[in-house]
Amino acid sequence: MPDPNKKNELNVPGKYYVDKELCIDCDQCSRDMPNHFKRNEAGGSYVWKQPVTTAEIAECEEAIVRCPAEAIGNNG
Ligand code: SF4
């Protein structure tokens, strides 16, 4: 389960984040949802833009479901 205390430091403040210890750097979230996730060249992904609209929130919720490492949290 993602832990808001283990957020990648690059995550912008807000509800959604990537847990830097759980992320396996598969790059899926940044490929599938580039409007909200980016890959850090040093490894791991992070949330660069928090969702605002209902559609954007749905996108981030979908990223949570698709993440193979269960590394994306929505309780930040
Ligand atoms: S999908 Fe999950 S494991 Fe893969 S890069 Fe994104 S946060 Fe990391």
Side-chain angles (χ1 to χ4, degrees), residues 5-68:
N5 295 312
K6 294 175 182 166
K7 284 182 185 180
N8 182 316
E9 293 78 7
L10 295 172
N11 287 289
V12 292
K15 188 174 171 185
Y16 292 85
Y17 62 95
V18 175
D19 179 316
K20 65 182 175 189
E21 291 187 10
L22 293 178
C23 176
I24 57 171
D25 196 20
C26 72
D27 198 24
Q28 180 170 280
C29 56
S30 52
R31 271 197 329 256
D32 293 355
M33 281 82 171
N35 293 336
H36 299 284
F37 296 87
K38 275 186 185 169
R39 181 173 184 268
N40 178 13
E41 289 192 5
S45 289
Y46 59 96
V47 174
W48 72 273
K49 182 175 176 286
Q50 293 288 337
V52 177
T53 66
T54 305
E56 289 175 341
I57 291 168
E59 235 180 270
C60 289
E61 289 295 323
E62 182 64 23
I64 289 176
V65 172
R66 291 189 196 179
C67 174

